[in-house]
Structures are given as C-alpha cells and as structure tokens.
C-alpha cells in the first residue's frame, strides 16, 4: 500500500532529520563550550598580564621609594657632616695673654691631648702615681678638669658628633655602618684618644660611648697614646 509506504519513508526521514538536528545541537553546544573556554583562557591570560604589570609597577614604586629615601638620607647626612667639619675647622686655641693662635682646626686635638695629659699627671700625682700607672679614677678626674677648662669648644664638638652618629643610627638606610665608617675615616688619632677617655667618663661620655662601641670607632685607636695600657682593659670591662 502506497500510503503505508510513504508513511514509513516519512517516519524514516523524520527520524534522520531529528537525529541530524540533535547532532547539530551537540556540535553547536561543543563549539560554544570551546569558544567559551578560549575566551576564559584569554581573560585569564589578560588578568595575569595585568597582575604582572601591577606587580612590576609596585616593585618599581618600592625601588623608587628606596632611592628617594637613600637620596634624602645622603643629602641630610652630608649636610650634617659639612656642618660638623665646619665646626672643627672653626676651632682655635689661643695664648691666654697674647691671644695668638696656637693651633686651629683638627690640629687643636694634638694640643687638647697634651692638655689632657697635663691634667691627668696632676690628678695622678695626688695618689703618688706616675701617669703610666694612673688608675681610672684619677685619670677620669683629670679628664673632667680638662673638659671643664675646654668646655666651650669640646661641648659643641661632642654634641655635633653625637647628633651625626645618632642620625645615621636612626636612619632607614641598611648600610648605616658604612656611613659611620666614613665619619671615622676623617677623625685624627688625637680625636680618637679624646673620644676614648670621653667614653671612660661615665657621667658625660655614656651616650657617646654607645655609638663608639656600636660603630667600632676605636678600631684605629693608637694605643701608644693611651696613658696607661690598663685603661684599654678597663674600657672594655666598663658597662
């Protein structure tokens, strides 16, 4: 029967078409998924690039900030150092009567050392000891008298030096010890020996002694200038 035959053909064609549409739908769904995955991958890649760019910008900002901190520190440091050196250059020692200049600048510290030696001799004589046997108490007694007689110059010198090391110590610069060594390189042997006995003076020298020890300022100390070699061990034992 032709009607049944056509019906079977129609059913067959309808089934094939339905199957094809189902296959097309699956393929379209798969293609859509693949496109979405590619889009997501691209978005992730762009996001990573954006993150890398932001990270790079942050790192650059950190470096720029570190550079700025370093520059600001160095500007202030060398300004303070210049002020300190100007103070040293302005030092002068004069004859009490004629007012003639006996020494100026760093050369004053040789005379300061000789003056200190005189006061220590006078102080140690009270205990009947020669200067190379002078005990700590008589030596510091002589130092105190020496300092008081030269307070006008030495007080400003010590205060300036203390503030310079204090600034270096409190800075954010990681190599602060290098700048402290830069200061040390400019100190004369007689400056160092005066610092040594200032550090032994518990009353006035204790603050400066902290920086003397922290930055190892006495590493170049000429021990031949120490009045009594026992003073070196006494300095090391002092709290």
């Amino acid at each position: 029967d032709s009607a049944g035959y056509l019906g079977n053909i129609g059913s067959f064609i309808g089934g094939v078409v339905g199957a094809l549409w189902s296959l097309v739908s699956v393929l379209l769904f798969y293609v859509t998924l693949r496109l979405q995955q590619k889009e997501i991958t691209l978005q992730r890649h762009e996001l990573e690039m954006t993150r890398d760019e932001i990270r790079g910008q942050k790192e650059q900002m950190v470096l720029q900030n570190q550079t700025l901190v370093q520059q600001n520190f160095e500007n202030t440091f060398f300004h303070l150092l210049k002020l300190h050196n100007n103070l040293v250059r302005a030092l002068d020692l004069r004859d009490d009567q004629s007012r003639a200049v006996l020494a100026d600048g760093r050369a004053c510290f040789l005379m300061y050392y000789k003056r200190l030696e005189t006061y220590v001799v006078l102080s140690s004589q009270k205990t009947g000891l020669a200067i190379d046997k002078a005990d700590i108490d008589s030596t510091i007694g002589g130092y105190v008298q020496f300092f008081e007689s030269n307070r006008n110059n030495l007080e400003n010198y010590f205060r300036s030096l203390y503030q310079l090391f204090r600034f270096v110590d409190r800075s954010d610069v990681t190599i602060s010890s290098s700048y402290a060594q830069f200061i040390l390189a400019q100190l004369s042997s007689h400056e160092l020996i005066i610092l040594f006995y200032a550090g032994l003076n518990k009353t006035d020298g204790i603050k400066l002694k902290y920086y003397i020890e922290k930055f190892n300022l006495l590493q170049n100390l000429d021990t031949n200038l120490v009045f009594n070699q026992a003073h070196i061990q006494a300095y090391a034992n002092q709290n």
Side-chain angles (χ1 to χ4, degrees):
D1 157 331
S2 59
Y5 177 75
L6 291 174
N8 290 333
I9 292 176
S11 297
F12 173 77
I13 293 174
V16 170
V17 171
L20 288 173
W21 275 113
S22 297
L23 179 60
V24 170
S25 298
V26 171
L27 290 174
L28 288 174
F29 179 71
Y30 175 76
V31 170
T32 302
L33 285 178
R34 292 291 294 174
L35 290 174
Q36 288 177 342
Q37 287 177 346
K38 287 183 179 181
E39 185 176 354
I40 291 173
T41 300
L42 288 173
Q43 289 176 345
R44 286 178 178 176
H45 181 65
E46 290 176 356
L47 181 60
E48 289 176 0
M49 291 180 62
T50 302
R51 287 176 177 174
D52 290 340
E53 184 178 355
I54 293 174
R55 188 182 300 111
Q57 290 175 347
K58 287 183 178 179
E59 291 175 353
Q60 187 176 9
M61 289 178 63
V62 169
L63 290 175
Q64 289 175 344
N65 183 63
Q66 290 175 343
T67 300
L68 182 61
V69 169
Q70 181 76 19
Q71 289 176 343
N72 288 338
F73 166 81
E74 289 188 353
N75 289 338
T76 305
F77 170 77
F78 285 109
H79 176 69
L80 291 175
L81 184 61
K82 181 180 179 180
L83 291 177
H84 178 74
N85 286 333
N86 287 341
L87 185 150
V88 173
R89 280 192 289 270
L91 293 175
D92 62 41
L93 294 175
R94 298 174 179 268
D95 182 87
D96 291 336
Q97 296 180 347
S98 67
R99 304 305 297 164
V101 176
L102 303 175
D104 58 9
R106 279 202 155 82
C108 290
F109 285 92
L110 172 57
M111 293 200 67
Y112 282 141
Y113 173 73
K114 292 179 178 179
R115 290 183 178 184
L116 173 60
E117 184 178 31
T118 299
Y119 279 105
V120 174
V121 167
L122 293 174
S123 181
S124 60
Q125 282 178 348
K126 297 177 182 178
T127 61
L129 298 173
I131 189 170
D132 61 339
K133 301 295 182 182
D135 58 25
I136 292 298
D137 290 338
S138 60
T139 301
I140 294 306
Y143 172 82
V144 170
Q145 292 178 321
F146 155 75
F147 181 82
E148 287 300 325
S149 67
N150 298 277
R151 175 181 287 274
N152 289 340
N153 283 335
L154 289 180
E155 189 171 44
N156 290 334
Y157 171 82
F158 283 134
R159 184 181 294 113
S160 173
L161 196 60
Y162 172 80
Q163 292 299 332
L164 191 53
F165 282 114
R166 183 172 180 266
F167 172 74
V168 171
D169 185 46
R170 295 192 174 188
S171 71
D172 295 328
V173 178
T174 56
I175 53 172
S176 59
S177 59
S178 298
Y179 291 92
Q181 293 301 307
F182 184 82
I183 302 170
L184 174 60
Q186 301 183 59
L187 303 182
S188 68
S189 297
H190 293 99
E191 281 180 89
L192 291 177
I193 199 67
I194 297 298
L195 285 177
F196 173 80
Y197 283 107
L200 272 175
N201 181 16
K202 294 181 180 180
T203 303
D204 297 325
I206 192 66
K207 291 182 179 180
L208 189 57
K209 189 172 188 287
Y210 170 78
Y211 294 121
I212 291 174
E213 293 179 350
K214 178 166 186 176
F215 296 121
N216 194 19
L217 301 183
L218 299 180
Q219 58 186 282
N220 298 325
L221 180 70
D222 184 352
T223 56
N224 293 322
L225 296 176
V226 178
F227 302 129
N228 180 352
Q229 295 302 302
H231 294 169
I232 297 174
Q233 187 59 45
Y235 184 97
N237 294 337
Q238 188 185 79
N239 295 325

